[in-house]
Amino acid sequence: MISARDSYEGLRAAHLDAVQGALQDHVGRVEWSREQIEHHQTQRLRSLLAYAKQRSPFHARRLSGIDPSVMTAAGLAGVPMMTKAQAQDEWDDIVTVADLTRDGAERILASQLWFSYTPNDQQVFSSGGSSGVRGVYVWDWHFFVSIACLAWRLQAREERTAPHAHARLAVLAAGMPPHASTPLFDVPTAPGMETAVIPAGAPLADTIAAVAAAKPTHLVGYATVVGQLARACLAGQLDIRPVRVSTNSEPLLDEDRRAIREAWDAPVHNLWGSTEIGVQAVGCARGDGLHVCEDEVVLERVDENGAPVGPDEPAARTLATGLANLTFPFIRYDLGDQVDWLPGRCACGSAFARVADIGGRRDDDFRYGAATIPASVFRHVLGTDPRVSEYQVHQTLRGADVLTVGAPDCETLAAALAAALRRHGLSDPEVEIRVVERLQRHESTGKLKRFVPLD
Ligand SMILES: [Zn+2]
């Protein structure tokens, strides 16, 4: 009998071959003119809207007054915004296939022992996301091929001009379900490249040992973890010399970028993505900022109400429309992050528009003396527990008080969180987790402050 793991690996190999096949087309797209990019984007947008209108009751309602056949990116302003809460609350109305429901997706997450494919080649993931509300997401076969190409085409372009014999990619990612980071980043970008997945959540000493053993020529991983590895090299605790570095999932802090430059002087491709849209923008390592994946994603900078703002005006939100995910369409989806366009053509020659480096919500970091705990550490643990529907983290002198809505196993969750805090340099953290009926929202705005630092 074929085990579930063998079955997954077999399909995964087929999927990776599909990515390699599509990558050549995507590398070519990087050289597209503005006209080519915009023509492709418009056609794909019309296709997505027409499809979603037929197959998704949720989108049919929102698109009722829209004629997809004449739609352009600018015309999207007439479509309502889509919020994270809507995406999760109205899941069964959004999904475009008859055989998948939110309950069914939850059953897959609860029962799978490893990553898996549904009988119709979909993959189900869960993430804490930037807002802190747990989300469940489905990626279909073609969507994965698209976003794997978006994540890797700029690196692949460079690999073609300077091929590296015996390339080995160390992948610092979650390393396990339900996070999508491992399947997306465990992708070879050059012929013959080997990959090794190293769980980024392990104690730092273990991670360093695993990276040393992997002898990588290329690195990809969470920005803070790659930063820690660079500092370990500078401190003489690790001896690797990656020729190319890719960072993702967290804002790339200046101090980490500096450490990477000092340790390895390697080109850095920073990626801005989300489990919903996949990949929004990637850095080319030659010019500033990140190239927006305009062929597969429409980005809009808008005000509080979803009305577009000019390139030089401040924006309250960034909306994304993912053109490749037909199974679970995100149309004018509120990403939460704020971005700024960069003017001018990039030094790499690509005509794809750029956004400035994503600073992220650094206000959400907690500082304890010399240790800084990024909010993503809390999100990573709290945001993927299916028994936690919402949470709020209050910084304390030696750790955190966490209020949760739901029915978590508080003791186990507190231990997992304490372990994560220790890994990030907080010794003897004190974590308390309490279950509450509801979370206190801001009196006037109604917003929830997810991370409340010490005064
Ligand atoms: Zn560029």
Side-chain angles (χ1 to χ4, degrees), residues 76-77 79-83 272 277 280 297-308 316-322 331-337 339 341:
L76 274 175
V79 178
M81 284 191 288
M82 179 177 177
T83 65
W272 174 45
I277 301 297
Q280 289 102 238
V297 180
V298 179
L299 280 190
E300 298 172 84
R301 292 172 74 254
V302 299
D303 65 15
E304 272 300 332
N305 303 314
R317 310 164 186 276
T318 307
L319 306 184
T321 298
I331 298 170
R332 297 203 91 214
Y333 182 71
D334 184 3
L335 285 173
D337 298 282
V339 298
W341 295 110

PDB file of all heavy atoms in Angstrom, residues 76-77 79-83 272 277 280 297-308 316-322 331-337 339 341:
ATOM      1  N   LEU A  76     -11.421  48.521 -11.095  1.00  0.00           N
ATOM      2  CA  LEU A  76     -11.667  47.731  -9.883  1.00  0.00           C
ATOM      3  C   LEU A  76     -12.201  48.579  -8.743  1.00  0.00           C
ATOM      4  O   LEU A  76     -12.823  48.059  -7.819  1.00  0.00           O
ATOM      5  CB  LEU A  76     -10.361  47.049  -9.426  1.00  0.00           C
ATOM      6  CG  LEU A  76     -10.031  45.699 -10.062  1.00  0.00           C
ATOM      7  CD1 LEU A  76      -8.657  45.242  -9.601  1.00  0.00           C
ATOM      8  CD2 LEU A  76     -11.081  44.658  -9.701  1.00  0.00           C
ATOM      9  N   ALA A  77     -11.944  49.896  -8.793  1.00  0.00           N
ATOM     10  CA  ALA A  77     -12.388  50.776  -7.720  1.00  0.00           C
ATOM     11  C   ALA A  77     -13.896  50.686  -7.508  1.00  0.00           C
ATOM     12  O   ALA A  77     -14.398  51.005  -6.433  1.00  0.00           O
ATOM     13  CB  ALA A  77     -11.971  52.222  -8.016  1.00  0.00           C
ATOM     14  N   VAL A  79     -15.559  47.963  -7.290  1.00  0.00           N
ATOM     15  CA  VAL A  79     -15.874  46.701  -6.615  1.00  0.00           C
ATOM     16  C   VAL A  79     -15.598  46.882  -5.122  1.00  0.00           C
ATOM     17  O   VAL A  79     -14.593  47.496  -4.755  1.00  0.00           O
ATOM     18  CB  VAL A  79     -14.997  45.560  -7.187  1.00  0.00           C
ATOM     19  CG1 VAL A  79     -15.265  44.251  -6.463  1.00  0.00           C
ATOM     20  CG2 VAL A  79     -15.216  45.420  -8.686  1.00  0.00           C
ATOM     21  N   PRO A  80     -16.483  46.371  -4.242  1.00  0.00           N
ATOM     22  CA  PRO A  80     -16.225  46.550  -2.809  1.00  0.00           C
ATOM     23  C   PRO A  80     -14.931  45.866  -2.362  1.00  0.00           C
ATOM     24  O   PRO A  80     -14.470  44.912  -2.986  1.00  0.00           O
ATOM     25  CB  PRO A  80     -17.423  45.871  -2.136  1.00  0.00           C
ATOM     26  CG  PRO A  80     -18.439  45.674  -3.200  1.00  0.00           C
ATOM     27  CD  PRO A  80     -17.719  45.640  -4.506  1.00  0.00           C
ATOM     28  N   MET A  81     -14.369  46.359  -1.255  1.00  0.00           N
ATOM     29  CA  MET A  81     -13.203  45.704  -0.642  1.00  0.00           C
ATOM     30  C   MET A  81     -13.629  44.350  -0.075  1.00  0.00           C
ATOM     31  O   MET A  81     -14.777  44.129   0.244  1.00  0.00           O
ATOM     32  CB  MET A  81     -12.686  46.541   0.538  1.00  0.00           C
ATOM     33  CG  MET A  81     -11.905  47.764   0.177  1.00  0.00           C
ATOM     34  SD  MET A  81     -11.102  48.434   1.672  1.00  0.00           S
ATOM     35  CE  MET A  81     -12.484  49.124   2.567  1.00  0.00           C
ATOM     36  N   MET A  82     -12.654  43.472   0.069  1.00  0.00           N
ATOM     37  CA  MET A  82     -12.883  42.156   0.666  1.00  0.00           C
ATOM     38  C   MET A  82     -11.983  42.072   1.903  1.00  0.00           C
ATOM     39  O   MET A  82     -10.778  42.283   1.808  1.00  0.00           O
ATOM     40  CB  MET A  82     -12.507  41.083  -0.362  1.00  0.00           C
ATOM     41  CG  MET A  82     -12.644  39.658   0.085  1.00  0.00           C
ATOM     42  SD  MET A  82     -12.213  38.581  -1.338  1.00  0.00           S
ATOM     43  CE  MET A  82     -12.352  36.968  -0.570  1.00  0.00           C
ATOM     44  N   THR A  83     -12.587  41.810   3.051  1.00  0.00           N
ATOM     45  CA  THR A  83     -11.810  41.812   4.285  1.00  0.00           C
ATOM     46  C   THR A  83     -11.415  40.394   4.688  1.00  0.00           C
ATOM     47  O   THR A  83     -11.985  39.414   4.209  1.00  0.00           O
ATOM     48  CB  THR A  83     -12.615  42.419   5.449  1.00  0.00           C
ATOM     49  OG1 THR A  83     -13.741  41.562   5.714  1.00  0.00           O
ATOM     50  CG2 THR A  83     -13.107  43.817   5.101  1.00  0.00           C
ATOM     51  N   TRP A 272       7.763  39.770  -0.565  1.00  0.00           N
ATOM     52  CA  TRP A 272       6.569  40.176   0.201  1.00  0.00           C
ATOM     53  C   TRP A 272       5.405  39.331  -0.286  1.00  0.00           C
ATOM     54  O   TRP A 272       5.034  39.401  -1.453  1.00  0.00           O
ATOM     55  CB  TRP A 272       6.302  41.667  -0.036  1.00  0.00           C
ATOM     56  CG  TRP A 272       5.046  42.185   0.575  1.00  0.00           C
ATOM     57  CD1 TRP A 272       4.577  41.948   1.838  1.00  0.00           C
ATOM     58  CD2 TRP A 272       4.083  43.060  -0.049  1.00  0.00           C
ATOM     59  NE1 TRP A 272       3.398  42.610   2.038  1.00  0.00           N
ATOM     60  CE2 TRP A 272       3.064  43.300   0.901  1.00  0.00           C
ATOM     61  CE3 TRP A 272       3.990  43.649  -1.304  1.00  0.00           C
ATOM     62  CZ2 TRP A 272       1.964  44.110   0.625  1.00  0.00           C
ATOM     63  CZ3 TRP A 272       2.901  44.450  -1.587  1.00  0.00           C
ATOM     64  CH2 TRP A 272       1.907  44.685  -0.624  1.00  0.00           C
ATOM     65  N   ILE A 277      -2.670  35.680  -1.209  1.00  0.00           N
ATOM     66  CA  ILE A 277      -2.332  36.080  -2.575  1.00  0.00           C
ATOM     67  C   ILE A 277      -1.139  35.276  -3.086  1.00  0.00           C
ATOM     68  O   ILE A 277      -0.935  35.135  -4.281  1.00  0.00           O
ATOM     69  CB  ILE A 277      -2.018  37.601  -2.612  1.00  0.00           C
ATOM     70  CG1 ILE A 277      -3.231  38.399  -2.114  1.00  0.00           C
ATOM     71  CG2 ILE A 277      -1.593  38.065  -4.002  1.00  0.00           C
ATOM     72  CD1 ILE A 277      -4.484  38.266  -2.960  1.00  0.00           C
ATOM     73  N   GLN A 280       3.258  38.868  -3.622  1.00  0.00           N
ATOM     74  CA  GLN A 280       2.883  40.176  -4.166  1.00  0.00           C
ATOM     75  C   GLN A 280       4.051  40.866  -4.870  1.00  0.00           C
ATOM     76  O   GLN A 280       3.872  41.535  -5.872  1.00  0.00           O
ATOM     77  CB  GLN A 280       2.373  41.105  -3.056  1.00  0.00           C
ATOM     78  CG  GLN A 280       1.022  40.727  -2.494  1.00  0.00           C
ATOM     79  CD  GLN A 280       1.094  40.018  -1.160  1.00  0.00           C
ATOM     80  OE1 GLN A 280       0.613  38.902  -1.028  1.00  0.00           O
ATOM     81  NE2 GLN A 280       1.698  40.624  -0.155  1.00  0.00           N
ATOM     82  N   VAL A 297      -0.884  39.739 -10.154  1.00  0.00           N
ATOM     83  CA  VAL A 297      -1.500  40.408  -8.999  1.00  0.00           C
ATOM     84  C   VAL A 297      -1.778  41.868  -9.361  1.00  0.00           C
ATOM     85  O   VAL A 297      -0.922  42.519  -9.967  1.00  0.00           O
ATOM     86  CB  VAL A 297      -0.549  40.383  -7.767  1.00  0.00           C
ATOM     87  CG1 VAL A 297      -1.201  41.074  -6.574  1.00  0.00           C
ATOM     88  CG2 VAL A 297      -0.143  38.964  -7.398  1.00  0.00           C
ATOM     89  N   VAL A 298      -2.951  42.366  -8.995  1.00  0.00           N
ATOM     90  CA  VAL A 298      -3.218  43.803  -9.112  1.00  0.00           C
ATOM     91  C   VAL A 298      -3.162  44.390  -7.704  1.00  0.00           C
ATOM     92  O   VAL A 298      -3.866  43.921  -6.802  1.00  0.00           O
ATOM     93  CB  VAL A 298      -4.608  44.089  -9.723  1.00  0.00           C
ATOM     94  CG1 VAL A 298      -4.852  45.598  -9.791  1.00  0.00           C
ATOM     95  CG2 VAL A 298      -4.722  43.465 -11.112  1.00  0.00           C
ATOM     96  N   LEU A 299      -2.300  45.385  -7.506  1.00  0.00           N
ATOM     97  CA  LEU A 299      -2.202  46.043  -6.202  1.00  0.00           C
ATOM     98  C   LEU A 299      -2.816  47.432  -6.310  1.00  0.00           C
ATOM     99  O   LEU A 299      -2.600  48.143  -7.279  1.00  0.00           O
ATOM    100  CB  LEU A 299      -0.742  46.221  -5.785  1.00  0.00           C
ATOM    101  CG  LEU A 299       0.025  45.058  -5.181  1.00  0.00           C
ATOM    102  CD1 LEU A 299       1.347  45.576  -4.633  1.00  0.00           C
ATOM    103  CD2 LEU A 299      -0.751  44.345  -4.094  1.00  0.00           C
ATOM    104  N   GLU A 300      -3.558  47.834  -5.282  1.00  0.00           N
ATOM    105  CA  GLU A 300      -4.124  49.179  -5.232  1.00  0.00           C
ATOM    106  C   GLU A 300      -3.818  49.796  -3.865  1.00  0.00           C
ATOM    107  O   GLU A 300      -4.047  49.158  -2.841  1.00  0.00           O
ATOM    108  CB  GLU A 300      -5.646  49.137  -5.378  1.00  0.00           C
ATOM    109  CG  GLU A 300      -6.175  48.569  -6.661  1.00  0.00           C
ATOM    110  CD  GLU A 300      -7.690  48.413  -6.564  1.00  0.00           C
ATOM    111  OE1 GLU A 300      -8.400  49.391  -6.812  1.00  0.00           O
ATOM    112  OE2 GLU A 300      -8.147  47.316  -6.203  1.00  0.00           O
ATOM    113  N   ARG A 301      -3.342  51.030  -3.904  1.00  0.00           N
ATOM    114  CA  ARG A 301      -3.212  51.809  -2.665  1.00  0.00           C
ATOM    115  C   ARG A 301      -4.489  52.610  -2.516  1.00  0.00           C
ATOM    116  O   ARG A 301      -4.883  53.358  -3.423  1.00  0.00           O
ATOM    117  CB  ARG A 301      -2.003  52.737  -2.722  1.00  0.00           C
ATOM    118  CG  ARG A 301      -0.656  52.023  -2.729  1.00  0.00           C
ATOM    119  CD  ARG A 301       0.491  52.986  -2.983  1.00  0.00           C
ATOM    120  NE  ARG A 301       0.799  53.827  -1.827  1.00  0.00           N
ATOM    121  CZ  ARG A 301       0.500  55.102  -1.717  1.00  0.00           C
ATOM    122  NH1 ARG A 301      -0.128  55.728  -2.693  1.00  0.00           N
ATOM    123  NH2 ARG A 301       0.827  55.784  -0.640  1.00  0.00           N
ATOM    124  N   VAL A 302      -5.147  52.461  -1.355  1.00  0.00           N
ATOM    125  CA  VAL A 302      -6.461  53.086  -1.183  1.00  0.00           C
ATOM    126  C   VAL A 302      -6.566  53.762   0.179  1.00  0.00           C
ATOM    127  O   VAL A 302      -5.726  53.545   1.069  1.00  0.00           O
ATOM    128  CB  VAL A 302      -7.597  52.038  -1.306  1.00  0.00           C
ATOM    129  CG1 VAL A 302      -7.584  51.374  -2.677  1.00  0.00           C
ATOM    130  CG2 VAL A 302      -7.487  50.982  -0.203  1.00  0.00           C
ATOM    131  N   ASP A 303      -7.624  54.569   0.335  1.00  0.00           N
ATOM    132  CA  ASP A 303      -7.883  55.193   1.638  1.00  0.00           C
ATOM    133  C   ASP A 303      -8.707  54.232   2.509  1.00  0.00           C
ATOM    134  O   ASP A 303      -8.972  53.094   2.118  1.00  0.00           O
ATOM    135  CB  ASP A 303      -8.564  56.559   1.454  1.00  0.00           C
ATOM    136  CG  ASP A 303      -9.960  56.448   0.839  1.00  0.00           C
ATOM    137  OD1 ASP A 303     -10.533  55.335   0.816  1.00  0.00           O
ATOM    138  OD2 ASP A 303     -10.481  57.485   0.379  1.00  0.00           O
ATOM    139  N   GLU A 304      -9.142  54.716   3.666  1.00  0.00           N
ATOM    140  CA  GLU A 304      -9.885  53.862   4.604  1.00  0.00           C
ATOM    141  C   GLU A 304     -11.106  53.210   3.965  1.00  0.00           C
ATOM    142  O   GLU A 304     -11.511  52.114   4.323  1.00  0.00           O
ATOM    143  CB  GLU A 304     -10.344  54.696   5.813  1.00  0.00           C
ATOM    144  CG  GLU A 304      -9.341  54.789   6.945  1.00  0.00           C
ATOM    145  CD  GLU A 304      -8.976  53.431   7.546  1.00  0.00           C
ATOM    146  OE1 GLU A 304      -9.808  52.502   7.489  1.00  0.00           O
ATOM    147  OE2 GLU A 304      -7.855  53.309   8.070  1.00  0.00           O
ATOM    148  N   ASN A 305     -11.706  53.909   2.998  1.00  0.00           N
ATOM    149  CA  ASN A 305     -12.953  53.429   2.412  1.00  0.00           C
ATOM    150  C   ASN A 305     -12.768  52.632   1.122  1.00  0.00           C
ATOM    151  O   ASN A 305     -13.740  52.235   0.492  1.00  0.00           O
ATOM    152  CB  ASN A 305     -13.886  54.615   2.140  1.00  0.00           C
ATOM    153  CG  ASN A 305     -14.152  55.410   3.415  1.00  0.00           C
ATOM    154  OD1 ASN A 305     -14.432  54.818   4.458  1.00  0.00           O
ATOM    155  ND2 ASN A 305     -14.028  56.728   3.341  1.00  0.00           N
ATOM    156  N   GLY A 306     -11.509  52.435   0.752  1.00  0.00           N
ATOM    157  CA  GLY A 306     -11.261  51.631  -0.440  1.00  0.00           C
ATOM    158  C   GLY A 306     -11.172  52.439  -1.728  1.00  0.00           C
ATOM    159  O   GLY A 306     -11.093  51.863  -2.808  1.00  0.00           O
ATOM    160  N   ALA A 307     -11.178  53.770  -1.612  1.00  0.00           N
ATOM    161  CA  ALA A 307     -11.036  54.600  -2.810  1.00  0.00           C
ATOM    162  C   ALA A 307      -9.551  54.773  -3.121  1.00  0.00           C
ATOM    163  O   ALA A 307      -8.751  55.063  -2.227  1.00  0.00           O
ATOM    164  CB  ALA A 307     -11.687  55.963  -2.581  1.00  0.00           C
ATOM    165  N   PRO A 308      -9.169  54.595  -4.396  1.00  0.00           N
ATOM    166  CA  PRO A 308      -7.746  54.701  -4.755  1.00  0.00           C
ATOM    167  C   PRO A 308      -7.180  56.078  -4.424  1.00  0.00           C
ATOM    168  O   PRO A 308      -7.884  57.081  -4.537  1.00  0.00           O
ATOM    169  CB  PRO A 308      -7.743  54.473  -6.272  1.00  0.00           C
ATOM    170  CG  PRO A 308      -9.010  53.735  -6.559  1.00  0.00           C
ATOM    171  CD  PRO A 308     -10.013  54.216  -5.547  1.00  0.00           C
ATOM    172  N   ALA A 316      -4.147  54.265   3.320  1.00  0.00           N
ATOM    173  CA  ALA A 316      -4.489  53.595   4.572  1.00  0.00           C
ATOM    174  C   ALA A 316      -4.363  52.082   4.441  1.00  0.00           C
ATOM    175  O   ALA A 316      -4.082  51.387   5.410  1.00  0.00           O
ATOM    176  CB  ALA A 316      -5.910  53.967   4.988  1.00  0.00           C
ATOM    177  N   ARG A 317      -4.596  51.578   3.223  1.00  0.00           N
ATOM    178  CA  ARG A 317      -4.578  50.128   3.024  1.00  0.00           C
ATOM    179  C   ARG A 317      -3.987  49.799   1.663  1.00  0.00           C
ATOM    180  O   ARG A 317      -3.924  50.649   0.781  1.00  0.00           O
ATOM    181  CB  ARG A 317      -5.991  49.541   3.024  1.00  0.00           C
ATOM    182  CG  ARG A 317      -6.866  49.948   4.160  1.00  0.00           C
ATOM    183  CD  ARG A 317      -8.327  49.612   3.808  1.00  0.00           C
ATOM    184  NE  ARG A 317      -9.248  50.096   4.806  1.00  0.00           N
ATOM    185  CZ  ARG A 317      -9.548  49.456   5.925  1.00  0.00           C
ATOM    186  NH1 ARG A 317      -9.005  48.288   6.181  1.00  0.00           N
ATOM    187  NH2 ARG A 317     -10.377  49.970   6.796  1.00  0.00           N
ATOM    188  N   THR A 318      -3.617  48.536   1.510  1.00  0.00           N
ATOM    189  CA  THR A 318      -3.232  48.012   0.204  1.00  0.00           C
ATOM    190  C   THR A 318      -4.193  46.883  -0.131  1.00  0.00           C
ATOM    191  O   THR A 318      -4.352  45.957   0.660  1.00  0.00           O
ATOM    192  CB  THR A 318      -1.800  47.473   0.219  1.00  0.00           C
ATOM    193  OG1 THR A 318      -0.929  48.494   0.719  1.00  0.00           O
ATOM    194  CG2 THR A 318      -1.353  47.065  -1.171  1.00  0.00           C
ATOM    195  N   LEU A 319      -4.822  46.980  -1.292  1.00  0.00           N
ATOM    196  CA  LEU A 319      -5.726  45.925  -1.733  1.00  0.00           C
ATOM    197  C   LEU A 319      -5.038  45.099  -2.809  1.00  0.00           C
ATOM    198  O   LEU A 319      -4.338  45.647  -3.660  1.00  0.00           O
ATOM    199  CB  LEU A 319      -7.020  46.520  -2.297  1.00  0.00           C
ATOM    200  CG  LEU A 319      -7.785  47.492  -1.400  1.00  0.00           C
ATOM    201  CD1 LEU A 319      -9.092  47.908  -2.077  1.00  0.00           C
ATOM    202  CD2 LEU A 319      -8.065  46.878  -0.030  1.00  0.00           C
ATOM    203  N   ALA A 320      -5.255  43.797  -2.759  1.00  0.00           N
ATOM    204  CA  ALA A 320      -4.645  42.908  -3.750  1.00  0.00           C
ATOM    205  C   ALA A 320      -5.714  42.060  -4.409  1.00  0.00           C
ATOM    206  O   ALA A 320      -6.625  41.567  -3.738  1.00  0.00           O
ATOM    207  CB  ALA A 320      -3.601  42.010  -3.097  1.00  0.00           C
ATOM    208  N   THR A 321      -5.589  41.909  -5.709  1.00  0.00           N
ATOM    209  CA  THR A 321      -6.422  40.983  -6.463  1.00  0.00           C
ATOM    210  C   THR A 321      -5.489  39.944  -7.064  1.00  0.00           C
ATOM    211  O   THR A 321      -4.611  40.284  -7.851  1.00  0.00           O
ATOM    212  CB  THR A 321      -7.199  41.726  -7.575  1.00  0.00           C
ATOM    213  OG1 THR A 321      -8.066  42.688  -6.954  1.00  0.00           O
ATOM    214  CG2 THR A 321      -8.023  40.760  -8.403  1.00  0.00           C
ATOM    215  N   GLY A 322      -5.656  38.705  -6.637  1.00  0.00           N
ATOM    216  CA  GLY A 322      -4.790  37.630  -7.125  1.00  0.00           C
ATOM    217  C   GLY A 322      -5.385  37.040  -8.397  1.00  0.00           C
ATOM    218  O   GLY A 322      -6.498  36.528  -8.376  1.00  0.00           O
ATOM    219  N   ILE A 331     -10.423  39.199  -4.413  1.00  0.00           N
ATOM    220  CA  ILE A 331     -10.630  40.349  -5.299  1.00  0.00           C
ATOM    221  C   ILE A 331     -10.758  41.598  -4.447  1.00  0.00           C
ATOM    222  O   ILE A 331     -11.656  41.701  -3.625  1.00  0.00           O
ATOM    223  CB  ILE A 331     -11.888  40.135  -6.172  1.00  0.00           C
ATOM    224  CG1 ILE A 331     -11.707  38.888  -7.062  1.00  0.00           C
ATOM    225  CG2 ILE A 331     -12.176  41.383  -7.019  1.00  0.00           C
ATOM    226  CD1 ILE A 331     -12.961  38.439  -7.782  1.00  0.00           C
ATOM    227  N   ARG A 332      -9.832  42.525  -4.617  1.00  0.00           N
ATOM    228  CA  ARG A 332      -9.741  43.741  -3.785  1.00  0.00           C
ATOM    229  C   ARG A 332      -9.644  43.350  -2.310  1.00  0.00           C
ATOM    230  O   ARG A 332     -10.365  43.859  -1.457  1.00  0.00           O
ATOM    231  CB  ARG A 332     -10.913  44.691  -4.030  1.00  0.00           C
ATOM    232  CG  ARG A 332     -10.979  45.230  -5.436  1.00  0.00           C
ATOM    233  CD  ARG A 332     -11.751  46.532  -5.494  1.00  0.00           C
ATOM    234  NE  ARG A 332     -10.888  47.694  -5.320  1.00  0.00           N
ATOM    235  CZ  ARG A 332     -11.251  48.812  -4.703  1.00  0.00           C
ATOM    236  NH1 ARG A 332     -12.425  48.920  -4.153  1.00  0.00           N
ATOM    237  NH2 ARG A 332     -10.419  49.822  -4.599  1.00  0.00           N
ATOM    238  N   TYR A 333      -8.723  42.494  -2.021  1.00  0.00           N
ATOM    239  CA  TYR A 333      -8.545  41.955  -0.665  1.00  0.00           C
ATOM    240  C   TYR A 333      -7.629  42.868   0.154  1.00  0.00           C
ATOM    241  O   TYR A 333      -6.549  43.256  -0.298  1.00  0.00           O
ATOM    242  CB  TYR A 333      -7.938  40.555  -0.768  1.00  0.00           C
ATOM    243  CG  TYR A 333      -7.755  39.880   0.562  1.00  0.00           C
ATOM    244  CD1 TYR A 333      -8.849  39.428   1.290  1.00  0.00           C
ATOM    245  CD2 TYR A 333      -6.485  39.693   1.091  1.00  0.00           C
ATOM    246  CE1 TYR A 333      -8.689  38.804   2.513  1.00  0.00           C
ATOM    247  CE2 TYR A 333      -6.312  39.062   2.308  1.00  0.00           C
ATOM    248  CZ  TYR A 333      -7.419  38.612   3.016  1.00  0.00           C
ATOM    249  OH  TYR A 333      -7.249  37.998   4.224  1.00  0.00           O
ATOM    250  N   ASP A 334      -8.058  43.198   1.335  1.00  0.00           N
ATOM    251  CA  ASP A 334      -7.301  44.108   2.211  1.00  0.00           C
ATOM    252  C   ASP A 334      -6.135  43.353   2.855  1.00  0.00           C
ATOM    253  O   ASP A 334      -6.336  42.525   3.739  1.00  0.00           O
ATOM    254  CB  ASP A 334      -8.240  44.667   3.281  1.00  0.00           C
ATOM    255  CG  ASP A 334      -7.550  45.688   4.177  1.00  0.00           C
ATOM    256  OD1 ASP A 334      -6.361  45.997   3.934  1.00  0.00           O
ATOM    257  OD2 ASP A 334      -8.202  46.176   5.110  1.00  0.00           O
ATOM    258  N   LEU A 335      -4.919  43.660   2.390  1.00  0.00           N
ATOM    259  CA  LEU A 335      -3.734  42.951   2.892  1.00  0.00           C
ATOM    260  C   LEU A 335      -3.300  43.428   4.269  1.00  0.00           C
ATOM    261  O   LEU A 335      -2.554  42.746   4.966  1.00  0.00           O
ATOM    262  CB  LEU A 335      -2.561  43.137   1.928  1.00  0.00           C
ATOM    263  CG  LEU A 335      -2.597  42.334   0.635  1.00  0.00           C
ATOM    264  CD1 LEU A 335      -1.454  42.772  -0.255  1.00  0.00           C
ATOM    265  CD2 LEU A 335      -2.517  40.845   0.920  1.00  0.00           C
ATOM    266  N   GLY A 336      -3.706  44.637   4.642  1.00  0.00           N
ATOM    267  CA  GLY A 336      -3.271  45.162   5.931  1.00  0.00           C
ATOM    268  C   GLY A 336      -1.993  45.969   5.829  1.00  0.00           C
ATOM    269  O   GLY A 336      -1.873  47.016   6.426  1.00  0.00           O
ATOM    270  N   ASP A 337      -1.031  45.505   5.003  1.00  0.00           N
ATOM    271  CA  ASP A 337       0.235  46.246   4.891  1.00  0.00           C
ATOM    272  C   ASP A 337       0.037  47.548   4.130  1.00  0.00           C
ATOM    273  O   ASP A 337      -0.887  47.691   3.346  1.00  0.00           O
ATOM    274  CB  ASP A 337       1.276  45.406   4.142  1.00  0.00           C
ATOM    275  CG  ASP A 337       1.595  44.126   4.870  1.00  0.00           C
ATOM    276  OD1 ASP A 337       2.352  44.176   5.834  1.00  0.00           O
ATOM    277  OD2 ASP A 337       1.061  43.076   4.466  1.00  0.00           O
ATOM    278  N   VAL A 339       2.036  50.143   1.501  1.00  0.00           N
ATOM    279  CA  VAL A 339       3.205  50.185   0.617  1.00  0.00           C
ATOM    280  C   VAL A 339       3.280  51.523  -0.105  1.00  0.00           C
ATOM    281  O   VAL A 339       2.288  52.222  -0.252  1.00  0.00           O
ATOM    282  CB  VAL A 339       3.166  49.048  -0.439  1.00  0.00           C
ATOM    283  CG1 VAL A 339       3.202  47.694   0.217  1.00  0.00           C
ATOM    284  CG2 VAL A 339       1.951  49.180  -1.337  1.00  0.00           C
ATOM    285  N   TRP A 341       4.842  53.246  -3.773  1.00  0.00           N
ATOM    286  CA  TRP A 341       5.443  52.978  -5.078  1.00  0.00           C
ATOM    287  C   TRP A 341       6.814  53.655  -5.142  1.00  0.00           C
ATOM    288  O   TRP A 341       7.000  54.739  -4.599  1.00  0.00           O
ATOM    289  CB  TRP A 341       4.570  53.533  -6.203  1.00  0.00           C
ATOM    290  CG  TRP A 341       3.219  52.885  -6.328  1.00  0.00           C
ATOM    291  CD1 TRP A 341       2.018  53.463  -6.042  1.00  0.00           C
ATOM    292  CD2 TRP A 341       2.916  51.553  -6.760  1.00  0.00           C
ATOM    293  NE1 TRP A 341       1.000  52.566  -6.272  1.00  0.00           N
ATOM    294  CE2 TRP A 341       1.510  51.392  -6.718  1.00  0.00           C
ATOM    295  CE3 TRP A 341       3.706  50.476  -7.187  1.00  0.00           C
ATOM    296  CZ2 TRP A 341       0.878  50.205  -7.082  1.00  0.00           C
ATOM    297  CZ3 TRP A 341       3.066  49.299  -7.542  1.00  0.00           C
ATOM    298  CH2 TRP A 341       1.674  49.164  -7.491  1.00  0.00           C
TER     299      TRP A 341
END
